[in-house]
Amino acid sequence: MVGGGTLPTTHRQALDALREADAPLVAELADELRQDRRDSDIQAVKLLRERTGIDLAGGYHLVRELAAQLGR
């Protein structure tokens, strides 16, 4: 990574890195997950993929990590 940083090796580390890079996006994802709709996880993954270009598997794992941190 630029500036001597290290690459994340866990989903938690990746989510923390995303939080540092784009806190408003993580807040939007959390709001989506809190909607507690049947498809809120899917919508959060779609939003993350649209905004970051992350692949489906990576987006899924980051959203699942965030959901776990929110107690979902």
Side-chain angles (χ1 to χ4, degrees):
M1 291 192 71
V2 177
T6 59
L7 291 173
T9 58
T10 66
H11 299 123
R12 179 180 297 263
Q13 290 174 345
L15 182 58
D16 290 344
L18 180 61
R19 219 179 242 118
E20 286 182 33
D22 195 346
L25 173 58
V26 176
E28 279 185 66
L29 296 170
D31 289 344
E32 182 64 46
L33 291 170
R34 286 188 193 105
Q35 301 263 334
D36 202 30
R37 290 188 323 262
R38 184 181 214 169
D39 69 338
S40 60
D41 290 2
I42 293 168
Q43 294 305 317
V45 171
K46 283 182 179 180
L47 175 62
L48 180 59
R49 293 188 70 208
E50 287 170 1
R51 299 276 284 282
T52 65
I54 194 169
D55 65 16
L56 181 59
Y60 170 80
H61 290 295
L62 284 179
V63 167
R64 292 310 313 144
E65 177 64 32
L66 179 57
Q69 289 182 12
L70 295 172
R72 290 202 52 236

